[in-house]
Amino acid sequence: MSDPIIKIEGMNKWFGDFQVLKDIDLEVEKNKKIVVCGPSGSGKSTLIRCINRLEEHQKGTIIVDGTELTENTKNIEAIRAEVGMVFQQFNLFPHLSILDNCTLAPVWVKKMPKKDAEELAMKQLEQVQIADQAKKFPGQLSGGQQQRCAIARALCMEPKIMLFDEPTSALDPEMIKEVLDAMVNLAKAGMTMIVVTHEMGFAKEVADEVIFMDEGMIVEKAETKDFFANPKNDRTKLFLSQIL
Amino acid sequence: MNKLNFLRPDIENIKTYLYLGIFLIFISILDVSLNAFFNTNITSFLPNFISFLLPLILGTVGLHFIRIEFSGIKNLDLLNKNINTNAFNAVLTLLIIFAIIKSLPAFLSWFFIDATISGDTKEACTGTGACWTYIKIWLNRFIYGMYPNELQWRINISFIALIALAFVGLLPSEKIKKFLTLYYVVIYPVIAFILIYYLISGGAFGLVWVETGAWGGLSLTFIVSFFCLIFCFPVGMFLALGRRSDLPTVRYISVGFIEFWRGVPLITVLFMSSVMFPMFLPEDFFMDKLVRVIIAISLFEAAYVAEVIRGGLQALPRGQYDAAKSLGMGYWKMHIFVILPQALKLVIPGIANTFLALVKDTPLIFVVGLLEIVGMLNLAKTNPKWLGYAMEGYVFAAIIFWIICYAMSKYSYNLEIKYKTDR
């Protein structure tokens, strides 16, 4: 196996006095799909937000694609350009059209010529099946369409890793499927993915490994089959019995 | 025909009620109008008290008759819904109508009927109304200040040129559109400065130099407002960003700057700029009074603009910052392309508010001896030949300022609609 693309060692994070992450150790290899689950407030979101430093960790090391995350702004920006992220609330830019949402970062961060960026964006929008909405504004789209646009926007930076922070939690049930389909396609194309989600069906279908977190700690980490078939930890068993 | 019940107008006898109601309202308004315009009282045969209240009673009863729900007549329904929902509203509506009718005659006679505009001396003003002759004679001074008459074409040309250049944004060419922001933020102000510096001020290219002390009137109002608006906006924007910065030095400097300028009255700032400021400068260093005033007002207003913009920045959800960062954008790219466009759109009403206040604050530059339109009015009203026409002057200034401010407020409203892409 190759070197891990993400390597987290002894990472701790506090919000004020409250410790959200305790001694996290995690290695993610290239092309692997990891699903992170756990009760709310267990630090799942904070963990993946630390990977592209939307949150700062206070102790331990995080190495993404050979670069350690430190105060160095240049490094952080370089890593962020390689790590795509999809948010629970979509966070599209409401003042820009769908197409402009997708081309903004490639043009201004990667200095891609505008024409190439637009071609790439249309290709990505095609992939998530909203190419016909390209000229519209985010406010005119449904939640599912917005989230798919957010995935396309992240992919336009041609990232090596994709982080998903509860991408379907803010969606109506009938829209969840279209977003999950887009994510499954992406997984099949070989993207390295870390997905925080409660969609256990999705986990069973695509995940290589499932991580269960509780109270800021990784309680259980196992191959998908083992995780669902015979969870070892009592807390995991309880969680699974409630969610399945 | 159904039985009429005057206490409860119903839709079946709508015609009867309508004619009756309109007739009563007509009578009541006629009574008040005759009273107001011709000073006659057609109900003088009645006791004083009843005669006084009669129009109100008749009108209220009339409005009661036409208060028919779902009449099917669009305008009537609209009227009932907005100003005639119940007896109390009906009375208020009538009182307001009566007040307007009552005040019209005095207003009209002062403004138009008894006003004078012919002649060119004070003696021409014999009527009891306004003396517009005064405005007519002084109009040139009110617009150009003390600027020499034979050189006023220079002001005219530069203003016409500036207005024409402001319309560049309307050109349909796609090529130009890319540079519009740059044009309006940098190139246009520079052109404006060069035009005003060389054409209005003169002193080069064979043009006679006119010192800024001679500038004045409405043209000076425009010059001061124009440059202050242009300067205070970017300064305010940087201050707003600075106040939210993670760097303590930048933050404290911004906070200090904002709180200092917001804490002092504009009039003292202007006074300082003209009296104190030169004392701190080297002796051979000269800065024109007008330039100092423009800088002072710009910095003063920038503090207000900063706080308005900060409000917009705080209104944006954190997700927008997260999304921009997650795409690898640095601080400036994030703010230029994602944060500021949204924040500024949110605060257009607040910015317009500040800008209107700025324009209306310009008369204060009289404290340093610069006389824009209100300053010129004050000067003219103390002219021995034209004593006693302050009223006309202030009304005139009020109208001018209202036109300027209304245009600005309309424009800001259009901007709001133009940039509405969500919500």
Side-chain angles (χ1 to χ4, degrees):
Chain A
M1 274 289 182
S2 56
D3 273 346
I5 193 163
I6 301 174
K7 193 172 177 183
I8 303 175
E9 270 178 356
M11 193 250 283
N12 283 267
K13 168 153 186 70
W14 288 264
F15 282 133
D17 290 335
F18 178 68
Q19 188 165 12
V20 259
L21 293 175
K22 296 168 193 162
D23 295 323
I24 302 285
D25 291 309
L26 180 66
E27 289 189 359
V28 180
E29 277 158 20
K30 207 161 187 286
N31 301 341
K32 291 282 180 193
K33 292 105 188 83
I34 312 285
V35 163
V36 184
C37 60
S40 58
S42 59
K44 317 179 293 282
S45 292
T46 314
L47 170 65
I48 69 166
R49 287 169 66 87
C50 281
I51 294 173
N52 66 354
R53 212 176 167 88
L54 288 180
E55 302 285 356
E56 254 173 69
H57 60 284
Q58 279 99 10
K59 217 175 117 190
T61 55
I62 301 176
I63 298 171
V64 179
D65 199 22
T67 313
E68 193 184 341
L69 282 173
T70 53
E71 293 284 330
N72 188 331
T73 326
K74 276 275 165 297
N75 279 353
I76 295 171
E77 279 167 28
I79 284 171
R80 280 174 182 164
E82 283 183 7
V83 180
M85 185 154 185
V86 175
F87 301 88
Q88 184 178 358
Q89 299 294 342
F90 330 136
N91 295 347
L92 293 178
F93 305 135
H95 62 300
L96 298 175
S97 71
I98 298 302
L99 185 63
D100 290 341
N101 261 282
C102 294
T103 57
L104 184 70
V107 169
W108 292 102
V109 178
K110 287 180 97 177
K111 314 279 180 214
M112 197 184 280
K114 177 127 188 170
K115 230 178 131 204
D116 297 358
E118 274 176 9
E119 258 168 44
L120 175 65
M122 286 314 289
K123 208 180 87 196
Q124 297 294 359
L125 289 172
E126 203 88 55
Q127 286 282 316
V128 294
Q129 291 166 18
I130 44 167
D132 51 331
Q133 317 279 350
K135 291 273 173 267
K136 289 194 184 167
F137 285 93
Q140 298 166 306
L141 265 53
S142 74
Q145 288 171 324
Q146 289 194 45
Q147 191 61 297
R148 283 183 283 154
C149 171
I151 295 173
R153 176 176 71 178
L155 289 177
C156 280
M157 287 297 282
E158 298 172 316
K160 293 182 177 166
I161 305 163
M162 282 287 283
L163 307 173
F164 291 84
D165 186 3
E166 306 202 26
T168 56
S169 301
L171 292 174
D172 288 343
E174 67 262 38
M175 290 172 184
I176 291 179
K177 190 174 176 301
E178 57 187 58
V179 172
L180 289 181
D181 284 348
M183 288 165 64
V184 170
N185 287 339
L186 185 60
K188 284 181 181 154
M191 176 65 72
T192 311
M193 291 162 73
I194 301 182
V195 184
V196 172
T197 187
H198 299 296
E199 298 291 331
M200 289 302 128
F202 173 80
K204 281 176 181 166
E205 188 178 347
V206 301
D208 296 308
E209 273 182 327
V210 181
I211 290 172
F212 177 73
M213 285 185 73
D214 192 22
E215 293 179 346
M217 284 180 290
I218 294 181
V219 177
E220 186 153 354
K221 177 173 184 270
E223 301 233 331
T224 313
K225 249 189 220 154
D226 295 342
F227 183 83
F228 288 107
N230 42 16
K232 293 185 184 64
N233 192 293
D234 287 344
R235 188 72 189 81
T236 320
K237 282 176 194 161
L238 182 67
F239 179 76
L240 283 175
S241 72
Q242 281 165 345
I243 205 165
L244 287 175
Chain B
M1 195 167 164
N2 289 328
K3 215 177 139 218
L4 291 173
N5 178 355
F6 288 106
L7 286 177
R8 297 179 60 94
D10 59 284
I11 192 143
E12 275 152 41
N13 299 310
I14 183 164
K15 281 217 164 123
T16 323
Y17 286 118
L18 267 188
Y19 288 134
L20 206 60
I22 290 172
F23 175 73
L24 288 175
I25 297 167
F26 175 76
I27 295 282
S28 80
I29 288 180
L30 183 74
D31 184 16
V32 176
S33 306
L34 287 174
N35 190 312
F37 286 95
F38 304 104
N39 221 1
T40 54
N41 186 0
I42 48 171
T43 53
S44 53
F45 56 86
L46 291 167
N48 237 346
F49 180 66
I50 297 177
S51 162
F52 181 72
L53 280 180
L54 193 65
L56 190 62
I57 295 164
L58 289 181
T60 312
V61 173
L63 283 172
H64 171 72
F65 282 159
I66 66 167
R67 196 181 303 133
I68 302 168
E69 263 185 288
F70 311 118
S71 63
I73 306 163
K74 203 175 153 229
N75 288 336
L76 180 65
D77 283 343
L78 211 62
L79 179 105
N80 282 337
K81 202 171 155 193
N82 288 315
I83 55 174
N84 191 23
T85 44
N86 53 38
F88 179 68
N89 273 358
V91 171
L92 281 186
T93 303
L94 285 170
L95 285 178
I96 290 167
I97 293 174
F98 293 165
I100 291 171
I101 294 174
K102 274 280 194 188
S103 58
L104 262 180
F107 174 78
L108 286 177
S109 69
W110 187 83
F111 238 84
F112 301 109
I113 299 164
D114 295 332
T116 324
I117 192 159
S118 55
D120 38 36
T121 54
K122 187 183 177 180
E123 280 62 43
C125 291
T126 47
T128 50
C131 179
W132 299 125
T133 315
Y134 161 75
I135 302 292
K136 188 180 76 179
I137 297 303
W138 284 87
L139 190 62
N140 192 280
R141 294 274 84 92
F142 291 159
I143 294 179
Y144 299 103
M146 298 302 187
Y147 208 84
N149 285 3
E150 67 281 5
L151 300 177
Q152 281 164 8
W153 59 270
R154 280 157 53 173
I155 294 185
N156 293 339
I157 285 185
S158 38
F159 273 59
I160 290 168
L162 282 181
I163 291 170
L165 285 170
F167 283 104
V168 164
L170 296 181
L171 291 178
S173 162
E174 281 294 324
K175 261 189 180 170
I176 297 178
K177 281 210 169 115
K178 275 187 197 166
F179 303 102
L180 271 188
T181 319
L182 179 76
Y183 173 76
Y184 279 117
V185 175
V186 182
I187 301 175
Y188 187 65
V190 170
I191 295 178
F193 179 78
I194 291 171
L195 262 177
I196 286 171
Y197 187 79
Y198 284 107
L199 206 53
I200 299 187
S201 177
F205 305 118
L207 295 170
V208 186
W209 183 62
V210 183
E211 60 148 352
T212 51
W215 304 13
L218 190 58
S219 53
L220 185 64
T221 307
F222 279 132
I223 291 172
V224 172
S225 310
F226 177 80
F227 282 111
C228 289
L229 293 185
I230 282 180
F231 289 139
C232 77
F233 187 69
V235 177
M237 207 163 72
F238 283 116
L239 284 172
L241 293 179
R243 191 161 185 170
R244 285 169 62 82
S245 170
D246 291 332
L247 310 170
T249 331
V250 177
R251 190 165 63 241
Y252 290 133
I253 289 174
S254 302
V255 172
F257 188 94
I258 291 170
E259 294 308 339
F260 171 76
W261 290 98
R262 286 207 307 174
V264 286
L266 181 56
I267 204 154
T268 57
V269 172
L270 290 169
F271 191 71
M272 294 279 196
S273 78
S274 85
V275 180
M276 301 282 287
F277 184 62
M279 287 188 212
F280 300 120
L281 290 178
E283 254 175 49
D284 51 348
F285 185 89
F286 172 77
M287 198 192 249
D288 192 273
K289 189 159 65 176
L290 183 59
V291 176
R292 289 196 308 249
V293 160
I294 287 176
I295 292 174
I297 298 182
S298 298
L299 294 179
F300 181 83
E301 296 293 343
Y304 286 88
V305 171
E307 288 297 278
V308 171
I309 293 180
R310 191 166 69 93
L313 291 174
Q314 274 170 350
L316 286 190
R318 189 179 164 206
Q320 291 293 315
Y321 291 87
D322 286 348
K325 282 183 197 162
S326 78
L327 289 166
M329 293 191 201
Y331 181 86
W332 290 110
K333 280 176 189 158
M334 173 171 82
H335 277 94
I336 291 170
F337 298 117
V338 177
I339 304 303
L340 281 175
Q342 294 184 63
L344 294 182
K345 191 171 74 183
L346 283 176
V347 297
I348 290 173
I351 299 266
N353 220 357
T354 313
F355 280 7
L356 289 178
L358 188 158
V359 171
K360 290 187 288 184
D361 277 344
T362 52
L364 286 178
I365 60 177
F366 83 88
V367 296
V368 299
L370 289 170
L371 300 177
E372 48 62 77
I373 181 161
V374 178
M376 287 309 296
L377 283 166
N378 281 331
L379 194 70
K381 84 176 182 206
T382 53
N383 185 303
K385 285 190 199 149
W386 289 96
L387 284 176
Y389 295 112
M391 175 84 146
E392 284 84 346
Y394 287 128
V395 169
F396 175 70
I399 293 171
I400 297 281
F401 270 101
W402 185 81
I403 291 171
I404 297 172
C405 294
Y406 184 69
M408 286 173 67
S409 118
K410 258 282 181 247
Y411 179 69
S412 86
Y413 189 65
N414 286 346
L415 279 185
E416 260 176 75
I417 292 172
K418 185 176 160 191
Y419 292 120
K420 203 173 189 174
T421 57
D422 57 321
R423 289 174 247 245

